[in-house]
Each structure stands twice: as C-alpha cells, then as structure tokens.
C-alpha cells in the first residue's frame, strides 16, 4: 500500500455505520458467554500497556504471557519500587480505554488506514515479547486480522472494522475493573494491580480502583463523542 494512503485521510462513514459498530461492540462486551472469548483482546491491550510503560520507564521487559482464561502476566526487571514500577503497575487497566481514546482521536481525524497500521505495528512489537504458545497464537491472529483488513478490503469494510475495534476498546475497557472489584470482595485476586499499587504507594486500593474507573469512563465518554462527531 502506498505511503500517501496510509498517512492520508479517508471519507467519514455514515452515522448508521458508527452506531451499528457501537452496538456490535456492546454485544461483544455485555453477554458473559461472548465476553469470555472477546476479553482476550482486552487482555492483549492490558498486558501490552504494562510492557510498553515498563520499557518507557527504563525497566527491562523480560516477557509477556497470555492465558486461555483471559488472564495475563507481564514480567519486567528493575527497581521493585519507585515511579517506574508504579507507572508500570497502573498501566494495565488504563491501557485499553486509553488506546480506545487514541483510536477515536485518529478516527475523528479520518485516519482510518493509519489506525489499522498502527495497531498492526503494536501487535507485531508485542509478539516479540510473548513467551507462551497461546499468547503467540492470540496476538498473531489479532494482528493478522488488522493486516488483512488494511491490505485486502474496501474502504467501507476498513471503516467498519476500525470503528468496531475502537468501540470495543472503549466499552470493553470499562468492565474489567468492576470484575476485579467483585472478585476481591469474594476474597480472590489478593495480588491484583490495585493491591500492588497500594503496597507501592501506601494509597488504598480503593483509590486505585477509582482511578481505573475514572480513566475508563472518561475515555468512553470522550471517545464516544469523537466517534459520533459530537
């Protein structure tokens, strides 16, 4: 594909397509049976957020694992305390909605093809750090979907795929923190991101949950307004 097509703009889709992809993303997030499968994509963004911030803050990223129960693990080496570790721990639950917000900004500027290529590049970069077979297969399939859509489909199909993906990140980024809170109330997840942050900062885990919810809900509202042209 020629460079001008990647960095140029594409026609804005009709409002019915934007609304339809939002409904499709909602169907992927709300029913529990579908969410058990679709949540894998949110886990990719979650663990990718941990990994990216670990690298940016100077930590040594050792590897990322994605599991079939939609959990994941990112291992980095460096100081066990300090700002770098705090930012790395905080990046997981905030990454999917913030990626969705960034995607909504690109789509609001009609950069559909650029969004697809940026997503593909991020997935390829993440694949290098995957350390288990299930994780590698999941990332390869997701990256292949973005690559094939960007190379082989018409602009209308690209727009529908891009909008559905961004809506999914925005909507799917809201649910995991609520699920984690419910699990902690039942006595599970004693070493969650919120609990790690509480130990690192001496700020109660409840405040970190407030941050996760604030980021995800504000991203959904802001990103949704951009996608709907408001």
């Amino acid at each position: 594909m020629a460079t001008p097509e990647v960095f140029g703009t594409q026609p804005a889709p009709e409002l019915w397509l934007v609304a339809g992809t939002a409904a499709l993303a909602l169907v992927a997030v709300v029913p529990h049976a579908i969410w058990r499968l679709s949540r894998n994509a949110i886990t990719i963004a979650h663990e990718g957020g941990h990994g990216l911030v670990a690298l940016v803050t100077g930590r040594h990223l050792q590897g990322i694992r994605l599991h079939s129960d939609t959990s994941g693990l990112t291992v980095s080496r460096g100081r066990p305390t300090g700002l770098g570790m705090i930012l790395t721990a905080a990046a997981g639950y905030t990454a999917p909605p913030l990626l969705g917000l960034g995607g909504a900004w690109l789509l609001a500027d009609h950069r559909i093809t650029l969004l697809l290529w940026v997503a593909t590049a991020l997935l390829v970069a993440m694949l290098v750090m995957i350390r288990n077979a299930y994780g590698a297969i999941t990332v390869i399939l997701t990256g292949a979907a973005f690559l094939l859509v960007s190379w082989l489909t018409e602009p209308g199909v690209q727009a529908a795929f891009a909008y559905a993906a961004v809506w999914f990140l925005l909507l799917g980024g809201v649910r995991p923190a609520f699920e984690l809170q419910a699990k902690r109330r039942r006595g599970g997840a004693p070493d969650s991101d919120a609990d790690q942050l509480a130990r690192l900062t001496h700020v109660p885990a409840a405040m970190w949950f407030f941050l996760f919810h604030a980021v995800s809900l504000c991203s959904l509202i802001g990103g949704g307004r951009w996608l709907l042209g408001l």
Side-chain angles (χ1 to χ4, degrees), residues 105-126:
W105 175 73
L106 284 175
L107 294 180
D109 198 37
H110 312 306
R111 309 283 180 172
I112 296 170
T113 306
L114 179 60
L115 181 143
L116 295 173
W117 278 84
V118 168
T120 303
L122 289 173
L123 288 163
V124 170
M126 184 175 178

Side-chain angles (χ1 to χ4, degrees), residues 122-149:
L122 289 173
L123 288 163
V124 170
M126 184 175 178
L127 180 61
V128 176
M129 300 308 303
I130 296 294
R131 294 294 181 264
N132 67 324
Y134 180 84
I137 293 170
T138 303
V139 173
I140 289 171
L141 291 176
T142 306
F146 277 91
L147 183 62
L148 291 175
V149 167

Side-chain angles (χ1 to χ4, degrees), residues 36-37 40 43 65-72 132 134-135 138:
R36 286 180 61 187
L37 177 63
N40 282 285
T43 303
R65 291 177 176 270
L66 306 173
H67 304 132
S68 58
D69 62 355
T70 73
S71 66
N132 67 324
Y134 180 84
T138 303

Side-chain angles (χ1 to χ4, degrees), residues 28 34 38 44 47 49 56 67 73 82 87 100 106 114 129 151 156 161 167 169 177 183-185 191 195 198 228:
I34 299 176
S38 63
I44 291 174
E47 299 302 332
V56 169
H67 304 132
L73 177 66
L87 292 175
L106 284 175
L114 179 60
M129 300 308 303
W151 270 105
F161 184 85
W167 276 120
L169 286 171
K183 190 173 183 180
R184 289 179 77 254
R185 283 195 294 268
D191 200 35
D195 293 292
L228 293 170

Side-chain angles (χ1 to χ4, degrees), residues 2-220:
T3 301
E5 292 179 334
V6 175
F7 292 99
T9 59
Q10 291 75 43
E14 298 290 339
L15 183 59
W16 67 264
L17 186 144
V18 178
T21 54
L24 183 64
L26 200 60
V27 169
V29 170
V30 174
H32 181 70
I34 299 176
W35 175 242
R36 286 180 61 187
L37 177 63
S38 63
R39 196 184 192 279
N40 282 285
I42 296 296
T43 303
I44 291 174
H46 179 113
E47 299 302 332
H50 282 313
L52 178 61
V53 174
L55 290 173
V56 169
T57 56
R59 299 181 61 80
H60 176 67
L61 181 59
Q62 293 184 293
I64 298 172
R65 291 177 176 270
L66 306 173
H67 304 132
S68 58
D69 62 355
T70 73
S71 66
L73 177 66
T74 299
V75 179
S76 63
R77 190 171 60 194
R79 287 185 57 195
T81 58
L83 182 60
M85 187 62 207
I86 293 169
L87 292 175
T88 299
Y93 283 94
T94 56
L98 289 177
L99 286 170
L101 185 63
W105 175 73
L106 284 175
L107 294 180
D109 198 37
H110 312 306
R111 309 283 180 172
I112 296 170
T113 306
L114 179 60
L115 181 143
L116 295 173
W117 278 84
V118 168
T120 303
L122 289 173
L123 288 163
V124 170
M126 184 175 178
L127 180 61
V128 176
M129 300 308 303
I130 296 294
R131 294 294 181 264
N132 67 324
Y134 180 84
I137 293 170
T138 303
V139 173
I140 289 171
L141 291 176
T142 306
F146 277 91
L147 183 62
L148 291 175
V149 167
S150 62
W151 270 105
L152 301 179
T153 64
E154 298 298 320
V157 176
Q158 292 184 12
F161 184 85
Y163 273 81
V166 170
W167 276 120
F168 177 73
L169 286 171
L170 291 171
L171 292 165
V174 173
R175 184 167 176 173
F178 285 103
E179 290 181 329
L180 179 59
Q181 277 188 297
K183 190 173 183 180
R184 289 179 77 254
R185 283 195 294 268
R186 297 191 298 269
D191 200 35
S192 70
D193 290 358
D195 293 292
Q196 291 182 47
L197 286 163
R199 290 193 293 269
L200 287 166
T201 63
H202 306 292
V203 174
M207 294 303 297
W208 290 105
F209 276 111
F210 177 81
L211 172 67
F212 298 159
H213 292 318
V215 170
S216 64
L217 292 172
C218 288
S219 295
L220 175 59

